[in-house]
């Protein structure tokens, strides 16, 4: 058992109970959440390319939106799904939705229901007024659901969506859905946007982008983002949204501020707090070492 | 979102808010409320996955096809059943056959594409054309184009040299290796920054959810007694923070490691 009473300032800093860090961070996050404040979120090139690609689509064209994350990644990835889905529905771009993560169908269904409600209301984005309209399952979107062994499913969809998805999530025959009428495989869609919090993204890169030359963009959790930048450099993916920042950038571009933009002001203060803790810890580390002549 | 919702939905939302707070209670210390939340996550996830797996894959991809008379699907069925022989010490060797087939197919599919995406294309991406004339843009370094390319080339080569162990890292070779490790550190720093952002995002999301729960609670009361709902919310937050602060002050001189 240690006793801090005989220790100097630097030693006490080194022995700081980590729960102080939790407490200070919690107080900072909660308090700054309620302070009205705007932080600038300039869009990066890799997010701008995704936005431009979807914005450039015409009515009736189709994309595949892969919702490959579980509730544990909801905080970062749900805002991406919401903003992209709404952008597509507003522009009358068909959305084919798959969910190859185990608990992903629930995420996808929640997003669909919320965006269907949202699109029913008239809105103005980037100066363009969109009237509210009813989004119809099978016409405006198709939710294909989950299939096990995502590598094989992604490969199989390159030949025909019906190989693995003869029926959609609601047990309706794919052939009876108007949106799927002219869709056989990846050749019949404009791009794939994979919003992923797991290694399903590797399969999309390999088995869809590399094997079938599918135009692929990614929305990833912050933890994963740095690992996938090389694919942006090699051109295998054309856009990348990283974590809450990527989602906030997209929301700003789409002029549709949501939970991500809302969270960025808190991020700024939380990061400043963590930087302060890192500096204090380093002062303690070097100070205590110097004192001992190490 | 309409703050007024069905009573059933509101009760579920309240239960989720309770589970959120129960999970965060682990920061104080391990306790039965946290255990309840933890076990619920594991149990519900497993149960949900079993149902999704059956209706999403086994039913549509196997059972229905066999009912349709497509007997070729007996092969994956048999291979799948053979996997279960792992539970018998006597017959466990049989499970190696389906595993061998699965690994064979997966490897055959993956290796060429792994080489393509992770080696060949990454090498190509490194072989960029440098435009020395464009190194500066308006008197500043053109970090979006030529200067970025230069950094990629120097950084990649230096990092590769750092992992070359057949020559001692001394002299100019050691200098380049040092540049390599700095490049790696920059990469790790970027990953750490993104990771911090990710973890904070989770906390922010829970705060947003709890606030949404508060707003919904106010809405559910149709404005009557809305002040008391907000007061309860503030009391919960102050209570949690206060309890943690009190315990930290009470156990002054002991680290959390000592306490556990």
């Amino acid at each position: 058992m240690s006793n801090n009473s005989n220790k100097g300032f630097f030693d006490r800093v080194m022995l700081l109970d980590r729960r102080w860090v939790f407490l200070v961070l919690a107080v900072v996050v909660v308090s700054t959440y309620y302070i009205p404040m705007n932080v600038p979120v300039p869009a990066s090139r890799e997010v701008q390319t995704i936005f431009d690609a979807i914005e450039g689509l015409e009515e009736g064209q189709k994309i595949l939106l892969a919702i490959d994350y579980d509730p544990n990644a909801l905080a970062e990835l749900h805002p991406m799904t919401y903003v992209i889905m709404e952008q597509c529905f507003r522009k009358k771009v068909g959305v084919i939705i798959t969910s190859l993560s185990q608990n992903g169908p629930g995420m996808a269904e929640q997003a669909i229901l919320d965006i269907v409600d949202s699109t029913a209301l008239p809105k103005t984005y980037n100066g363009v007024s969109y009237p509210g309209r009813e989004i119809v399952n099978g016409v405006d979107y198709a939710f294909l659901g989950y299939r096990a062994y995502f590598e094989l499913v992604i490969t199989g969809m390159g030949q025909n969506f019906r190989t693995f998805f003869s029926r959609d999530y609601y047990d309706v025959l794919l052939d009876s859905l108007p949106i799927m009428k002219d869709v056989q495989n990846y050749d019949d869609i404009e791009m794939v946007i994979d919003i992923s919090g797991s290694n399903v993204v590797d399969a999309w890169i390999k088995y869809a982008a590399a094997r079938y030359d599918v135009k692929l963009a990614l929305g990833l959790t912050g933890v994963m983002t740095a690992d996938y930048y090389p694919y942006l450099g090699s051109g295998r993916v054309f856009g990348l949204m990283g974590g809450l920042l990527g989602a906030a950038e997209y929301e700003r571009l789409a002029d549709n501020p949501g939970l991500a933009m809302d969270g960025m002001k808190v991020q700024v203060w939380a990061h400043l707090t963590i930087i302060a803790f890192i500096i204090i810890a380093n002062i303690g580390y070097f100070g205590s070492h110097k004192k001992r002549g190490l | 979102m309409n703050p007024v919702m069905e009573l059933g939905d509101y009760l579920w939302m309240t239960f989720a808010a309770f589970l959120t707070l129960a999970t965060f209670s682990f920061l104080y210390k391990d306790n039965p409320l946290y255990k309840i939340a933890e076990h619920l996550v594991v149990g519900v996830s497993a149960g949900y996955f079993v149902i999704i797996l059956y209706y999403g894959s086994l039913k549509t991809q196997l059972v229905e096809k066999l009912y349709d008379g497509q007997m070729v699907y007996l092969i994956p069925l048999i291979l799948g059943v053979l996997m279960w022989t792992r539970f018998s010490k006597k017959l466990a060797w049989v499970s190696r056959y389906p595993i061998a087939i699965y690994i064979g197919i997966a490897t055959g599919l993956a290796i060429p594409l792994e080489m393509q995406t992770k080696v060949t294309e990454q090498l190509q991406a490194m072989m960029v054309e440098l435009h020395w004339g464009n190194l500066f843009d308006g008197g500043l370094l053109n970090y979006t184009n030529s200067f970025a390319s230069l950094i990629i080339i120097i950084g990649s080569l230096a990092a590769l040299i750092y992992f070359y162990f057949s020559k001692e890292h001394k002299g100019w070779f050691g200098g380049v290796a040092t540049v390599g490790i700095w490049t790696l550190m920059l990469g790790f720093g970027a990953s750490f920054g993104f990771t911090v952002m990710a973890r904070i995002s989770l906390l922010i999301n829970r705060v947003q959810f709890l606030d949404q729960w508060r707003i919904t609670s106010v809405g559910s009361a149709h404005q009557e007694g809305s002040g008391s709902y907000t007061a309860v919310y503030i009391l919960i937050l102050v209570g949690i923070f206060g309890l943690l602060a009190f315990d930290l002050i009470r156990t002054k001189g002991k680290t959390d490691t000592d306490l556990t």
Side-chain angles (χ1 to χ4, degrees):
Chain A
M1 191 180 289
S2 62
N3 188 347
N4 282 358
S5 58
N6 300 327
K7 297 183 186 302
F9 169 76
F10 297 125
D11 292 321
R12 283 210 299 275
V13 166
M14 293 306 292
L15 290 170
L16 183 74
D17 192 325
R18 63 182 170 177
R19 289 178 301 170
W20 278 113
V21 181
F22 300 151
L23 180 63
V24 172
L25 259 178
V27 171
V28 167
V29 168
V30 172
S31 56
T32 53
Y33 177 73
Y34 289 103
I35 298 171
M37 180 176 56
N38 284 321
V39 290
V41 184
S44 57
R45 198 166 39 172
E46 51 269 27
V47 176
Q48 181 84 51
T49 50
I50 304 176
F51 176 78
D52 291 343
I54 295 180
E55 201 61 15
L57 294 176
E58 290 172 11
E59 185 179 334
Q61 289 185 305
K62 299 173 188 85
I63 70 160
L64 191 149
L65 185 62
I67 300 177
D68 298 327
Y69 56 90
D70 294 346
N72 57 3
L74 169 153
E76 298 176 274
L77 304 182
H78 238 23
M80 297 179 194
T81 303
Y82 274 55
V83 70
I84 289 176
M85 202 183 280
E86 177 151 1
Q87 187 186 8
C88 291
F89 286 166
R90 294 282 181 193
K91 289 182 64 62
K92 298 183 181 175
V93 168
V95 186
I96 299 163
I97 301 159
T98 60
S99 194
L100 303 180
S101 182
Q102 292 173 8
N103 296 322
M107 299 288 92
E109 207 171 17
Q110 186 187 40
I112 292 167
L113 292 173
D114 284 348
I115 298 302
V116 165
D117 282 349
S118 171
T119 316
L121 304 170
K123 294 266 179 70
T124 301
Y125 297 122
N126 287 320
V128 181
S129 295
Y130 296 95
R133 73 184 187 97
E134 188 189 357
I135 301 298
V136 181
N137 179 20
V139 177
D140 298 292
Y141 73 92
F143 179 31
L144 308 189
Y146 171 83
R147 293 289 182 270
Y149 294 105
F150 52 80
E151 298 98 334
L152 301 179
V153 178
I154 292 168
T155 308
M157 283 194 289
Q159 291 161 21
N160 197 319
F161 280 86
R162 288 151 190 83
T163 309
F164 283 91
F165 295 100
S166 54
R167 292 168 183 272
D168 74 355
Y169 183 70
Y170 307 103
D171 211 25
V172 178
L173 273 174
L174 228 58
D175 286 325
S176 66
L177 303 177
I179 190 174
M180 298 303 293
K181 191 182 163 197
D182 300 320
V183 178
Q184 295 298 316
N185 51 40
Y186 297 130
D187 292 339
D188 305 313
I189 55 172
E190 302 307 315
M191 68 186 80
V192 174
I193 312 281
D194 182 31
I195 316 284
S196 177
S198 67
N199 61 340
V200 181
V201 63
D202 289 315
W204 279 110
I205 292 169
K206 278 185 294 191
Y207 302 114
R211 189 181 170 97
Y212 292 107
D213 213 16
V214 171
K215 197 176 171 188
L216 176 69
L218 309 175
L220 304 172
T221 60
V223 177
M224 298 164 68
T225 303
D227 293 339
Y228 289 87
Y229 263 90
Y231 295 109
L232 200 64
S234 68
R236 191 41 72 194
V237 299
F238 74 90
L240 179 63
M241 291 177 284
L244 199 71
L245 175 66
E249 288 176 25
Y250 204 100
E251 284 181 356
R252 193 188 73 75
L253 287 168
D255 190 22
N256 186 4
L259 290 176
M261 288 275 278
D262 191 40
M264 284 316 289
K265 63 176 182 185
V266 187
Q267 280 282 2
V268 170
W269 289 104
H271 277 241
L272 287 173
T273 309
I274 288 169
I275 289 168
F277 273 118
I278 290 171
I279 291 169
I280 291 167
N282 274 278
I283 289 170
Y285 177 80
F286 287 110
S288 59
H289 272 58
K290 195 178 175 186
K291 201 173 126 188
R292 292 197 201 102
L294 295 171
Chain B
M1 184 190 284
N2 185 355
V4 181
M5 58 166 67
E6 298 284 330
L7 179 64
D9 290 341
Y10 174 67
L11 289 177
W12 278 115
M13 193 179 185
T14 304
F15 185 54
F18 162 74
L19 290 177
T20 299
L21 296 171
T23 306
F24 279 130
S25 69
F26 183 74
L27 296 177
Y28 173 62
K29 60 179 152 187
D30 203 355
N31 63 76
L33 288 179
Y34 171 74
K35 288 285 182 206
I36 289 171
E38 186 186 33
H39 291 184
L40 266 175
V41 167
V42 176
V44 170
S45 299
Y48 181 81
F49 177 56
V50 167
I51 298 299
I52 285 284
L53 184 66
Y54 177 74
Y55 285 100
S57 287
L58 284 175
K59 183 170 170 273
T60 54
Q61 297 301 111
L62 185 66
V63 178
E64 285 179 359
K65 303 221 177 200
L66 286 173
Y67 268 109
D68 289 345
Q70 299 180 50
M71 289 304 148
V72 71
Y73 282 89
L74 278 173
I75 296 170
L77 173 64
I78 292 166
L79 289 172
V81 170
L82 290 182
M83 286 271 200
W84 291 86
T85 58
R86 287 189 71 79
F87 293 108
S88 159
K89 280 184 184 172
K90 201 175 167 186
L91 295 172
W93 61 273
V94 179
S95 66
R96 290 178 186 166
Y97 286 98
I99 290 171
I101 290 169
Y102 180 72
I103 290 175
I105 293 170
T107 311
L109 275 171
I111 285 180
L113 296 169
E114 282 276 331
M115 281 296 292
Q116 181 187 338
T117 54
K118 291 190 175 167
V119 181
T120 320
E121 289 179 353
Q122 295 306 323
L123 280 171
Q124 283 174 342
M126 241 189 72
M127 296 172 196
V128 288
E129 195 178 350
L130 278 175
H131 299 284
W132 295 101
N134 294 340
L135 206 58
F136 292 94
D137 184 16
L140 297 169
L141 282 169
N142 184 359
Y143 70 91
T144 57
N145 199 350
S146 292
F147 185 63
S149 305
L150 194 63
I151 293 283
I152 287 170
I153 291 168
I154 292 171
S156 303
L157 289 176
L160 282 171
I161 282 174
Y162 173 74
F163 285 105
Y164 186 79
F165 301 119
S166 299
K167 183 176 164 62
E168 202 172 352
H169 288 184
K170 279 184 175 176
W172 71 268
F173 195 78
V176 177
T178 306
V179 174
I181 197 159
W182 273 99
T183 308
L184 293 174
M185 289 299 159
L186 285 169
F188 296 147
S191 285
F192 177 70
F194 271 118
T195 303
V196 168
M197 185 176 73
R199 300 306 177 222
I200 296 294
S201 300
L202 301 183
L203 180 56
I204 293 169
N205 179 263
R206 287 299 83 194
V207 173
Q208 287 171 328
F209 170 74
L210 288 174
D211 190 50
Q212 192 59 48
W213 170 65
R214 180 188 65 84
I215 293 166
T216 310
S217 300
V218 171
S220 297
H222 298 283
Q223 304 305 321
E224 282 179 30
S226 60
S228 60
Y229 275 102
T230 304
V232 168
Y233 175 74
I234 292 167
L235 269 177
I236 289 171
L237 290 179
V238 171
I240 292 168
F241 294 165
L243 191 65
L244 184 53
F246 172 74
D247 195 60
L248 281 163
I249 293 163
R250 186 176 62 83
T251 58
K252 191 181 176 188
K254 295 173 187 172
T255 64
D256 52 336
T257 316
D258 292 332
L259 292 166
T260 51

